[in-house]
Amino acid sequence: MRVSLTRLGFGAAPIGNLYQEVSDEQAHTAVDVAWDNGVRYFDTAPHYGLGLSEQRLGEALAARPRSEFVLSTKVGRLLEPSDAGGDDLANGFAVPASHRRVWDFSADGVKRSLESSLDRLGTDHVDVVYLHDPDGHWEQASREGIPALVGLREQGVVGAIGVGMNQWEMPARFVRETDVDVVMLAGRYTLLEQDSVEEFLPLCLERGVAVVAAGVFNSGLLAQAAVPDGAMYDYAAAPPEVVDRARRIAAVCEGVGVALPQAAIQFPLGHPAVVGVVVGSRTAGQMEANAGHFAAPVPVGLWGALRAEGLLRSEVPGL
């Protein structure tokens, strides 16, 4: 890939008031702590808090030398002013519903979205642009969105292009049929589930497409050493069988002295197609904890113990 990412990246959805409000100070401090821990890759999107995430991230990074960090955002949802009132909690963000999201993967939509993102971020360029969740929009995304991004890449406006999705099947199609550099794969190559290891990750390796693993906690299920009742999975309440599997994984981790989130952050990096993990942090404390989990050594025996319990697929490499 034309852009080099740090192995640990900062996911900025939480500072867009994902699920709950975060103050400007808390958001900025979380970014500061990420920087102090060596993070130089920061990811955001217009979808996150109706632009609030981009605005806060841009403000928090404004004093940093632009050449010293990598910034990515996403396109596919245009933000249009709305006077409907109320809040955006139905979409997961504790912000006023001042805008509405409009799906648009057209060439014009991609360019308009990126221009608006640059304004909110307060920068003249981003390094990586992803098509964001084009699940129901393959035709427009592949025929118009990707060519528009390729043109921006060729002009030097962006350094790398790709797709960011919560599934691996359509990203595999993008890898096969379009000229993408990178896929942000959310929740589909984690300690909890590895279906993408059989087909998708080898394909990316073969085609030279980088993979950034996001959603490594599977929406929170793997975020604590002890899996709580009522844990979230894929942005909803986790089914009992999924909670049980997560608790079995946690028990194996505990048996070798490893915290579940520590293993969850480090697991995806064992695959050679994965160039980094992006972890969301809403506060300085969360970011410090995530950085600690990323840096703490994991005993090699953990992966074998998980495989012996049938909790890792046999195709998982590098463990």
Side-chain angles (χ1 to χ4, degrees), residues 8 257-259 261-263 265-267 288-299 302-303:
L8 178 63
V258 174
Q262 178 186 348
I265 286 179
Q266 296 194 38
F267 166 75
E288 197 72 63
N290 288 333
H293 291 317
F294 172 77
V298 171
L302 170 62
W303 314 118

Side-chain angles (χ1 to χ4, degrees), residues 8-12 14 213-217 265 277-281 286-287 290 294:
L8 178 63
F10 181 91
V216 296
F217 295 144
I265 286 179
V277 296
V278 166
V279 182
S281 301
Q286 280 190 0
M287 185 61 238
N290 288 333
F294 172 77

Side-chain angles (χ1 to χ4, degrees), residues 81-146:
S82 171
D83 57 5
D87 58 45
D88 192 50
L89 283 171
N91 294 296
F93 295 92
V95 296
S98 58
H99 291 74
R100 66 187 185 96
R101 299 167 180 84
V102 178
W103 291 106
D104 193 336
F105 290 95
S106 69
D108 179 66
V110 163
K111 293 171 184 176
R112 287 170 55 201
S113 180
L114 182 55
E115 287 172 3
S116 296
S117 290
L118 293 176
D119 286 341
R120 287 187 291 267
L121 286 161
T123 186
D124 61 356
H125 73 285
V126 293
D127 304 282
V128 184
V129 179
Y130 300 100
L131 297 184
H132 198 187
D133 298 333
D135 302 67
H137 306 270
W138 165 258
E139 291 299 326
Q140 188 179 58
S142 62
R143 295 185 180 182
E144 299 183 46
I146 289 292

Side-chain angles (χ1 to χ4, degrees), residues 35-261:
W35 188 277
D36 292 343
N37 279 277
V39 173
R40 296 294 183 271
Y41 174 40
F42 299 86
D43 175 71
T44 183
H47 171 56
Y48 304 154
L50 295 172
L52 179 62
S53 171
E54 290 183 316
Q55 178 187 332
R56 282 175 164 171
L57 185 60
E59 291 169 351
L61 292 171
R64 313 287 187 183
R66 183 63 186 85
S67 61
E68 293 186 12
F69 62 90
V70 170
L71 188 60
S72 65
T73 192
K74 306 180 183 76
V75 295
R77 291 173 172 91
L78 288 173
L79 302 182
E80 296 189 350
S82 171
D83 57 5
D87 58 45
D88 192 50
L89 283 171
N91 294 296
F93 295 92
V95 296
S98 58
H99 291 74
R100 66 187 185 96
R101 299 167 180 84
V102 178
W103 291 106
D104 193 336
F105 290 95
S106 69
D108 179 66
V110 163
K111 293 171 184 176
R112 287 170 55 201
S113 180
L114 182 55
E115 287 172 3
S116 296
S117 290
L118 293 176
D119 286 341
R120 287 187 291 267
L121 286 161
T123 186
D124 61 356
H125 73 285
V126 293
D127 304 282
V128 184
V129 179
Y130 300 100
L131 297 184
H132 198 187
D133 298 333
D135 302 67
H137 306 270
W138 165 258
E139 291 299 326
Q140 188 179 58
S142 62
R143 295 185 180 182
E144 299 183 46
I146 289 292
L149 290 182
V150 169
L152 293 173
R153 186 183 62 195
E154 290 175 346
Q155 296 164 30
V157 176
V158 300
I161 63 171
V163 295
M165 301 183 70
N166 292 280
Q167 56 154 299
W168 64 264
E169 292 87 352
M170 187 180 284
R173 191 174 179 188
F174 276 105
V175 171
R176 289 191 185 96
E177 301 181 28
T178 74
D179 186 20
V180 294
D181 304 296
V182 57
V183 172
M184 179 171 281
L185 185 67
R188 302 287 81 85
Y189 187 61
T190 71
L191 199 57
L192 187 69
E193 54 182 283
Q194 303 105 40
D195 286 352
S196 60
V197 74
E198 185 174 353
E199 177 182 341
F200 175 70
L201 293 176
L203 173 67
C204 290
L205 203 56
E206 175 190 339
R207 300 294 178 92
V209 173
V211 176
V212 174
V216 296
F217 295 144
N218 285 109
S219 299
L221 190 62
L222 308 180
Q224 300 179 50
V227 180
D229 293 332
M232 301 290 284
Y233 169 74
D234 270 2
Y235 311 105
E241 65 274 14
V242 176
V243 172
D244 177 68
R245 183 178 179 84
R247 285 175 173 163
R248 290 172 60 205
I249 294 170
V252 175
C253 290
E254 184 180 8
V256 297
V258 174
L260 179 60

